Amino acid sequence: MKTLKVIGIAILLLGFGMGTVRSQITQPKVKPKVNLPVKLPTAFDKIMYDLDHGTCYEIAVVSLQLNARNQQRTSFGKEARYGLGSLFKSGNELKSVLPLEIGIKQTPHQRTVQTTVRLKKNGKTVTLDIRNSQYYHLIYDVKIIKKKNGYWLMAEKDHNNETVSFIFAIYKTDCLI
């Protein structure tokens, strides 16, 4: 009888042991990993990808500067600028070197300066850097907007009683070999 009790107790303990093992298998205490949302490429990323894969782009700029005081570098308190150039990839930035027409047409103040335009991405923000022999502008947190016929970028800067606004158009063009 003692052996029967020992066997019964052993079977009972084995049953409880199997139940706890089964409950540990079916109910894990580890939390499942949550997948983060996929980041969609920005307009800047799309242009970089296209340039890497053989698509060519041009950039056009139109700018207006209004000045409360009449200074030497502006014609009669206002100055219009426009230019056109090829856009290429330089490391992790978009770059263009273009001739920028400055001043008012058909006056002695009209001139052309070589201007470098750089677009650089830091995280989610895009920085615009415009430089030539006469001035430079560094504008942070610029938005590149995708439109049906290309990309548009608008920026404005107030400094020293003057306001400068820029409009850039980035569009696909035929590649020259």
Side-chain angles (χ1 to χ4, degrees):
M1 197 99 162
K2 282 186 174 183
T3 54
L4 208 56
K5 284 183 180 180
V6 172
I7 292 175
I9 292 175
I11 291 175
L12 189 62
L13 288 175
L14 186 62
F16 281 125
M18 292 293 282
T20 57
V21 168
R22 185 177 302 141
S23 68
Q24 287 176 358
I25 293 173
T26 57
Q27 297 176 0
K29 293 183 181 180
V30 178
K31 292 183 180 179
K33 292 182 181 177
V34 177
N35 291 334
L36 297 174
V38 177
K39 292 182 183 177
L40 296 174
T42 62
F44 184 90
D45 297 330
K46 176 72 172 126
I47 294 169
M48 292 288 271
Y49 176 83
D50 286 350
L51 287 171
D52 282 340
H53 290 85
T55 303
C56 295
Y57 282 95
E58 281 189 347
I59 186 168
V61 60
V62 177
S63 174
L64 179 64
Q65 177 175 337
L66 298 177
N67 187 347
R69 297 182 302 228
N70 195 15
Q71 294 178 347
Q72 280 184 331
R73 64 175 188 236
T74 60
S75 303
F76 312 108
K78 61 191 167 294
E79 186 172 285
R81 305 170 185 144
Y82 58 92
L84 179 67
S86 297
L87 187 68
F88 57 92
K89 184 178 172 184
S90 176
N92 290 333
E93 60 186 26
L94 297 171
K95 186 176 179 182
S96 180
V97 178
L98 51 96
L100 192 67
E101 299 289 330
I102 294 178
I104 298 174
K105 277 193 164 205
Q106 300 171 351
T107 67
H109 301 286
Q110 175 80 31
R111 62 196 176 282
T112 303
V113 292
Q114 283 298 104
T115 303
T116 303
V117 176
R118 289 187 183 135
L119 293 166
K120 187 190 304 187
K121 184 177 175 188
N122 274 339
K124 292 182 179 181
T125 62
V126 176
T127 302
L128 173 65
D129 185 357
I130 305 165
R131 295 177 187 263
N132 59 34
S133 61
Q134 300 211 314
Y135 63 85
Y136 73 93
H137 295 288
L138 189 59
I139 304 171
Y140 297 96
D141 200 17
V142 177
K143 306 284 186 230
I144 300 175
I145 302 165
K146 171 72 172 124
K147 296 287 185 175
K148 187 176 183 180
N149 54 356
Y151 298 91
W152 292 87
L153 183 134
M154 291 173 235
E156 184 178 291
K157 187 169 185 176
D158 290 326
H159 180 69
N160 233 6
N161 289 331
E162 58 190 26
T163 300
V164 182
S165 66
F166 295 95
I167 298 175
F168 290 90
I170 299 172
Y171 54 93
K172 291 180 182 178
T173 187
D174 293 332
C175 296
L176 300 174
I177 296 176

